Amino acid sequence: MMRRHIVFLSGAGVSAESGLSTFRGKDGMWTNKEWVYLASTEALNNDTQRCLDFYNYRRKQLAEVSSNDAHRMIAELEKDFDVTIVTQNVDNLHERAGSTNVIHIHGELSKVCSMKDRTQCVKEYPLTTPIKIGDKGEDGAQIRPDIVMFGEKVDNIEEAVESISCADIFVIIGTSLKVYPAAGFTAFVPRKAKKYVIDPNEIRECTTLGYEHIKTNATEGMRLLTETLRKLQ
Ligand code: APR
């Protein structure tokens, strides 16, 4: 029997139970205005040390947490389905849980690249090794976190849209859909695809578009969704 293609669009909520904060919730990261500034190209260029300190803190934090059951259950689905994850998350918790097809559109904390050209000198960099002023890539330029800063173009959009447009099943998990272009991906989901949203809060766009809302947190939501998907088989 043909393996169905499931596409997940994930956000910070899927990593919340691993101890990483979301962005817009009550204690969301962006409630700290200073951090919003530090995640911008302006800070990277004019305040490089403070910007690097901010990302070195987030990279070290990522080294101290682990994938949770939601990440693991998504990875498990690869046994019976073709699974693609389009993620806004810069953590590597999907990959650490065993997922093999993850498309990052906002960059990755575990990688560095050239400050001269983000497409150059991209490589894995130990999460516990701080990026310092003076650290250079092969192109002789300062290295920086391989993250899409506010003010920069996002990554892998074509690949993400291509995957979403051939989904048999589409699942939105742990994202408020407040940030574009990710928030616009719902427009590319095939009409015939089964559509689910896993989030303890209402996501208005999904309600309007008739998504089945599994109104709970990521781990419980994935447990329920896995049961539903088994019955589809
Ligand atoms: N399980 C599932 N969902 C959860 C959980 C949980 N345990 N806890 C919170 N959520 C939901 C919230 O209800 C919210 O809808 O996760 C969502 C998190 O939304 P945001 O904080 O806005 O994060 P996200 O949508 O990933 O942000 C998108 O914004 O600033 C940029 O680069 C940043 O990638 C990020 C993008």
Side-chain angles (χ1 to χ4, degrees):
M1 202 186 85
M2 269 283 285
R3 284 161 65 91
R4 286 177 217 230
H5 183 206
I6 301 185
V7 178
F8 285 87
L9 174 60
S10 74
V14 77
S15 297
E17 291 150 77
S18 293
L20 296 180
S21 45
T22 62
F23 294 96
R24 290 172 190 80
K26 185 166 66 48
D27 312 320
M29 197 174 272
W30 296 154
T31 52
N32 178 329
K33 291 298 161 250
E34 163 80 357
W35 286 358
V36 175
Y37 162 67
L38 289 175
S40 69
T41 47
E42 193 203 337
L44 180 66
N45 298 326
N46 309 334
D47 228 330
T48 311
Q49 188 55 62
R50 282 175 59 214
C51 177
L52 291 181
D53 292 347
F54 172 55
Y55 280 98
N56 286 334
Y57 154 75
R58 293 183 63 189
R59 299 172 74 248
K60 188 166 168 295
Q61 187 193 37
L62 179 54
E64 290 156 2
V65 300
S66 308
S67 310
N68 61 52
D69 285 347
H71 297 111
R72 279 187 282 280
M73 284 185 264
I74 293 172
E76 279 287 308
L77 290 172
E78 293 191 12
K79 287 200 185 103
D80 304 308
F81 298 89
D82 281 343
V83 180
T84 303
I85 302 169
V86 175
T87 190
Q88 298 165 85
N89 298 346
V90 294
D91 66 53
N92 56 2
L93 299 179
H94 281 301
E95 290 92 338
R96 282 157 63 183
S99 287
T100 60
N101 188 12
V102 184
I103 301 171
H104 285 267
I105 64 169
H106 291 164
E108 299 177 65
L109 275 173
S110 64
K111 293 182 179 169
V112 295
C113 58
S114 164
M115 241 176 98
K116 204 160 70 182
D117 173 349
R118 255 205 77 220
T119 64
Q120 299 304 308
C121 311
V122 177
K123 64 177 182 185
E124 288 287 336
Y125 205 73
L127 288 169
T128 48
T129 306
I131 306 169
K132 300 187 300 305
I133 300 269
D135 291 345
K136 302 236 179 326
E138 293 82 21
D139 65 354
Q142 170 70 42
I143 55 170
R144 53 164 282 180
D146 187 22
I147 298 285
V148 175
M149 304 273 178
F150 284 124
E152 286 184 317
K153 208 166 86 31
V154 300
D155 299 342
N156 308 320
I157 284 300
E158 292 76 20
E159 205 190 339
V161 168
E162 197 185 314
S163 269
I164 290 167
S165 50
C166 60
D168 298 313
I169 301 164
F170 185 65
V171 185
I172 291 177
I173 182 165
T175 176
S176 61
L177 287 184
K178 290 260 174 20
V179 172
Y180 284 78
F185 286 163
T186 50
F188 299 97
V189 181
R191 198 183 289 281
K192 65 176 182 12
K194 285 193 173 307
K195 304 175 189 74
Y196 302 92
V197 54
I198 298 176
D199 199 297
N201 298 304
E202 193 202 351
I203 307 296
R204 206 158 320 116
E205 294 82 345
C206 295
T207 312
T208 321
L209 295 167
Y211 281 59
E212 183 177 333
H213 190 177
I214 304 175
K215 201 168 185 177
T216 181
N217 61 32
T219 49
E220 177 59 12
M222 276 309 305
R223 196 182 62 69
L224 295 167
L225 180 71
T226 303
E227 261 172 41
T228 305
L229 294 175
R230 272 220 191 93
K231 292 184 196 127
L232 287 180
Q233 288 295 83

